[in-house]
Amino acid sequence: MLNIIKMDLYRMRKMRSIVVIWMVMAFILFFSTIMMHEEYADPVMNKKNQEAIAKNQDEAAEDSLGIYVLIPTEPGEKVTVYDMVYANTQGKVISLFIAIFSVLFSTADLRNGFIKNIGGQTKKRYHLILSKAAVLFLFTVLTFAVTVAVQTISNIISFGYLEFGPQKEFLSYLLTEGMLHYGLALIVMGIAILISNNVISMTIAVCLCMNMTMILYGFVNKAGDMLFGETWNIVPYTVSGQIGSIGIHLTGQEALRGIWTAAIYGIVFVILSMFVFQKRDIR
C-alpha cells in the first residue's frame, strides 16, 4: 500500500498539468483581486455587492449559474486576505481547478499500460483507489496553501497593505472548506472511475463547480414539497451546495455540518469506487 502511494505521488509530481492548473488559478486569483479593488473603490458597485451578499446565500446559489466573485468587506474597512479567499472560494474558483485535477489524475493511469501492470500484480486492487484518495488529499492541501500565498501577494500588490483578518475564523473557514473541497475531489474521482470516460467526467466536474447542479437540486426540492407538503432544501446537505453557501462568520455548527457532509459523501464515493474497480476487468 505504501509503495502504491509512493508511485502515485511520483505520478503527481511528474504531471505537467499540475503546474498549469496552479498557474491559471494564480492568474485568476490575481485578476479577481484587481477587479475587486476597482469595485471596492467604487461606492456604487460596493453597495451592490453588499446587497447581493446580504441575500440568503442558499437562494443566491440556486439562482446563480457560473462563477461569480463578490467581496464581503464592509465599506470603510480594510480588505483582508480572508475576505478575498472567502470571495474566491464562494465563487467556486478553487473547486473548479481541484475538480479538473481530480479527473485528470484519477484517469491518467487508466489510459495506458501502467494500470495493467500494477493492477495485475496486486490482489487488493482497491488499494489503488485508496492511494488516489490520499494523493488528492495532499493536492487539496497544497492547492489551499497556494491560494493563501497567491492571495497574500495579490492583496499587497492591489491594495498596498496586508491584513489577514481574524486568524481563528480564517483557520476554521480554511479547514471546513478544505474538507468540503476534498469531499468534492473524492466525488469527482468516483464519477471518473465509474464512468471511465474523460470527456463526460470532466463535463460533470465542471457542472458541479458552475452551479449547474442547482437546477437538479431545485427539482428535488419541488418534488419534496409536492410529495410531503413541506418546504425542502437539500442544498445545505450537499458538498457543492455547502462550498458556496457557508458564511464568512462560520459557526461551530456550520463547520461541523460541513465536515460531516464532506466525510459522508467522500466515504460513500470511495467505497463505491473500490467495489467497482475491484470487480471490473482492467482494460
Side-chain angles (χ1 to χ4, degrees):
M1 178 65 186
L2 184 60
N3 289 333
I4 296 175
I5 294 177
K6 289 180 179 179
M7 284 189 295
D8 276 337
L9 287 173
Y10 179 81
R11 282 201 306 119
M12 185 187 80
R13 204 158 44 86
K14 291 297 181 180
M15 287 180 68
R16 297 179 181 177
S17 57
I18 191 172
V19 178
V20 176
I21 286 172
W22 281 342
M23 288 180 64
V24 175
M25 185 185 73
F27 173 78
I28 292 178
L29 291 174
F30 182 69
F31 180 76
S32 67
T33 304
I34 294 176
M35 296 301 295
M36 288 299 100
H37 174 259
E38 294 180 0
E39 292 186 8
Y40 180 72
D42 186 342
V44 177
M45 289 298 298
N46 190 263
K47 184 178 179 181
K48 290 182 179 179
N49 280 344
Q50 293 302 318
E51 291 175 352
I53 294 171
K55 292 180 180 179
N56 182 277
Q57 292 186 351
D58 291 340
E59 294 178 358
E62 291 175 1
D63 296 337
S64 303
L65 299 179
I67 290 178
Y68 59 95
V69 179
L70 298 174
I71 186 170
T73 311
E74 295 288 342
E77 295 183 354
K78 286 188 175 182
V79 180
T80 65
V81 175
Y82 182 15
D83 291 338
M84 290 306 305
V85 170
Y86 171 84
N88 284 291
T89 304
Q90 297 297 292
K92 297 187 178 178
V93 175
I94 303 170
S95 61
L96 176 63
F97 293 101
I98 289 179
I100 290 173
F101 177 81
S102 299
V103 174
L104 294 176
F105 180 78
S106 300
T107 60
D109 57 352
L110 301 178
R111 301 193 303 270
N112 52 45
F114 175 83
I115 195 66
K116 290 184 179 180
N117 295 330
I118 299 301
Q121 295 175 14
T122 177
K123 294 181 180 179
K124 299 178 179 179
R125 281 190 282 168
Y126 63 82
H127 283 174
L128 297 170
I129 302 298
L130 294 176
S131 177
K132 292 177 190 291
V135 173
L136 287 178
F137 176 77
L138 176 62
F139 177 78
T140 302
V141 173
L142 292 175
T143 299
F144 269 84
V146 171
T147 298
V148 174
V150 171
Q151 196 59 70
T152 300
I153 297 172
S154 300
N155 273 34
I156 294 173
I157 294 174
S158 299
F159 298 101
Y161 56 82
L162 177 61
E163 288 284 342
F164 277 101
Q167 295 182 5
K168 288 185 178 180
E169 288 186 19
F170 193 10
L171 290 175
S172 177
Y173 181 80
L174 288 176
L175 174 62
T176 305
E177 283 289 359
M179 288 299 299
L180 286 169
H181 280 72
Y182 179 52
L184 176 66
L186 294 179
I187 292 172
V188 172
M189 179 193 73
I191 292 172
I193 291 173
L194 294 175
I195 296 177
S196 293
N197 185 299
N198 256 26
V199 176
I200 298 177
S201 301
M202 190 67 74
T203 301
I204 295 174
V206 172
C207 287
L208 284 171
C209 302
M210 300 291 284
N211 282 346
M212 296 299 292
T213 48
M214 292 302 172
I215 299 175
L216 175 62
Y217 298 157
F219 283 122
V220 174
N221 290 338
K222 289 180 181 179
D225 294 346
M226 294 174 61
L227 291 174
F228 301 99
E230 298 178 358
T231 302
W232 274 47
N233 186 14
I234 67 168
V235 174
Y237 303 99
T238 62
V239 172
S240 59
Q242 284 207 44
I243 286 176
S245 65
I246 60 176
I248 189 169
H249 300 296
L250 189 64
T251 64
Q253 184 178 1
E254 288 175 328
L256 190 60
R257 184 175 65 184
I259 292 173
W260 271 110
T261 301
I264 291 171
Y265 276 91
I267 291 171
V268 168
F269 273 85
V270 167
I271 292 176
L272 186 60
S273 301
M274 290 165 56
F275 177 78
V276 171
F277 197 72
Q278 184 72 25
K279 298 296 183 181
R280 179 187 292 167
D281 292 333
I282 297 178
R283 297 189 297 271

